[in-house]
Amino acid sequence: ADARARLATMARVSPQLVQRHEARAAEIAELQALVDDEQRTLTARNEQIAAKRRQWQPRLEAVARRTSEHFARYFEEIGCAGEIRFAAAPDDDFEKFRLEIYVKYRAAAAAQVLDARVHSGGERAVATMLYLVALQDISQCPFRLVDEINQGMDPRNERMIFARVARIAERPGPQYWLVTPKLLPDLDYGSSSLVL
């Protein structure tokens, strides 16, 4: 209305120009209403996501801490250091959330993220197996099946990991099945193991 009054005071303003201006102004107002609606929807969805994240992220972090406690203990038993860390993406890109496995195999070295470019196949196999065992410590199931844990391991690491798995299998709880085409001679299978 103010624009129409100003246009009326101007000399030689085409009525078609006034109509186009009014149509454009109405279109802009309509689009702004759509943008405002979409912004409200986006804000509501972001609040829903944040609320859900506040529910599951602390639980996930707690599971990572419990897993890390077991993982660290197993690594300490073999004279090394290990830790599991939950890493959230700073921009809330959930696809970038991850658990990172940190390992330290030598006293003088710093702990590093487990990486194929840095760690040998045997080191990765040891970390993977101890991570799986740590996960099993915090989960419930009637039996566990471990397939070829010794692949990629040197005899020292194979013996060490087998001793850990055999000791864990002695505990009351789930039954362990170990499937492998070969084992080192003179392994200690424990008192309750059956070798076929």
Side-chain angles (χ1 to χ4, degrees):
D2 290 336
R4 182 183 280 273
R6 277 184 277 144
L7 285 173
T9 63
M10 298 177 150
R12 295 189 293 160
V13 175
S14 161
Q16 290 85 11
L17 184 62
V18 172
Q19 285 178 339
R20 282 200 322 241
H21 170 74
E22 289 174 348
R24 230 5 98 78
E27 185 180 341
I28 289 170
E30 194 176 305
L31 290 173
Q32 186 60 52
L34 287 174
V35 167
D36 292 345
D37 283 347
E38 290 297 321
Q39 187 61 48
R40 281 190 291 276
T41 300
L42 179 63
T43 300
R45 287 200 177 138
N46 283 340
E47 288 170 2
Q48 289 172 345
I49 290 170
K52 287 184 184 212
R53 180 177 178 179
R54 285 190 299 273
Q55 291 174 354
W56 63 258
Q57 187 169 337
R59 292 190 306 214
L60 181 60
E61 289 170 348
V63 168
R65 278 191 303 277
R66 283 196 345 255
T67 305
S68 187
E69 290 166 8
H70 292 274
F71 186 74
R73 187 178 71 245
Y74 291 136
F75 257 77
E76 189 176 308
E77 288 173 0
I78 64 170
C80 300
E83 179 184 6
I84 307 297
R85 297 181 193 168
F86 173 75
D91 57 358
D92 286 344
D93 183 352
F94 296 118
E95 289 183 5
K96 293 180 183 172
F97 281 36
R98 64 195 175 282
L99 291 178
E100 296 176 330
I101 299 175
Y102 281 80
V103 293
K104 177 181 165 184
Y105 287 101
R106 291 154 205 77
Q112 294 180 305
V113 174
L114 189 64
D115 187 330
R117 295 168 291 185
V118 175
H119 299 96
S120 71
E123 289 171 334
R124 291 191 324 269
V126 166
T128 300
M129 192 58 211
L130 292 179
Y131 173 69
L132 292 173
V133 170
L135 279 176
Q136 292 173 1
D137 284 346
I138 65 167
S139 62
Q140 304 269 333
C141 65
F143 70 92
R144 315 226 190 251
L145 175 65
V146 183
D147 184 22
E148 298 188 32
I149 64 167
N150 51 354
Q151 294 302 304
M153 289 188 197
D154 60 31
R156 179 188 157 281
N157 284 333
E158 181 178 346
R159 198 170 288 284
M160 176 186 57
I161 290 298
F162 186 83
R164 296 285 170 281
V165 171
R167 193 179 78 227
I168 291 164
E170 291 285 317
R171 293 188 230 160
Q175 186 178 40
Y176 271 80
W177 294 57
L178 171 64
V179 178
T180 185
K182 69 167 184 75
L183 285 173
L184 293 173
D186 303 321
L187 289 173
D188 180 11
Y189 294 101
S191 61
S192 63
S193 295
L194 174 65
V195 180
L196 302 174

